[in-house]
Amino acid sequence: MSDNLPGNDNRSNPVPPPPAASSAPNAHDASNAHAAPSAPPYTGSPAYNGGPVQPKGLALTALILGILSLIFCWVPVAGAVGGIVALVLGILALRKAQPKGLALTGLITGAVAAVVGIIVTILFFVGLSLLGGSIDDAQEAIEACQSGAETVEIAGQTVSCSSIDY
């Protein structure tokens, strides 16, 4: 099977033959005095002369953290904190001239996650404080019914102890 691959056929091999040896190795031929030196044989890998690699660690971290924070922004505190960190990293990446697309995406997703995360966190703690009072009231009502009371007040409503299932 490997015999059928391109490059295995001697007729299609891109490697040029080696230069022919001259009869006198040290003789200076006047016709070759101004000829260009022969190129090295083709090795199969293209020459890459790229510039320096642009650092992108902050931008990539801002992007990943921004996306994760956006996914988890419904979790109180986690989405807000992750979004704020992604926002800061995105700003730092832009200032350090890292890839603009990655940095902007991290910055935007971090900002959205921070705003939504802060709103979710505030609503969570407000709801928890409101619910906490109701749970305490309900527990006191159950204890009063167990003590022998006929009616109790739960969240502003009078309830008969015979209707409470505990």
Side-chain angles (χ1 to χ4, degrees):
M1 172 133 184
S2 65
D3 295 336
N4 296 334
L5 294 175
N8 287 341
D9 185 9
N10 287 337
R11 291 171 284 161
S12 67
N13 194 355
V15 178
S22 64
S23 59
N26 292 332
H28 294 292
D29 188 6
S31 64
N32 284 339
H34 298 289
S38 65
Y42 180 72
T43 60
S45 62
Y48 179 71
N49 193 10
V53 177
Q54 183 180 13
K56 56 185 171 186
L58 285 174
L60 190 60
T61 304
L63 172 69
I64 292 170
L65 194 56
I67 291 171
L68 287 175
S69 297
L70 198 57
I71 291 170
F72 291 106
C73 66
W74 56 271
V75 177
V77 181
V81 171
I84 291 170
V85 172
L87 186 68
V88 169
L89 289 176
I91 292 170
L92 289 175
L94 285 174
R95 283 192 173 179
K96 292 191 178 212
Q98 292 193 2
K100 193 172 184 178
L102 295 175
L104 277 176
T105 307
L107 188 129
I108 292 168
T109 55
V112 171
V115 169
V116 173
I118 289 170
I119 292 171
V120 166
T121 301
I122 290 171
L123 291 176
F124 174 75
F125 284 114
V126 166
L128 193 62
S129 67
L130 293 175
L131 185 63
S134 298
I135 291 175
D136 291 340
D137 291 343
Q139 190 172 3
E140 289 174 8
I142 290 173
E143 289 173 0
C145 285
Q146 287 175 343
S147 302
E150 290 186 23
T151 60
V152 291
E153 188 174 328
I154 301 175
Q157 296 182 354
T158 304
V159 179
S160 171
C161 285
S162 61
S163 64
I164 298 177
D165 192 20
Y166 50 93

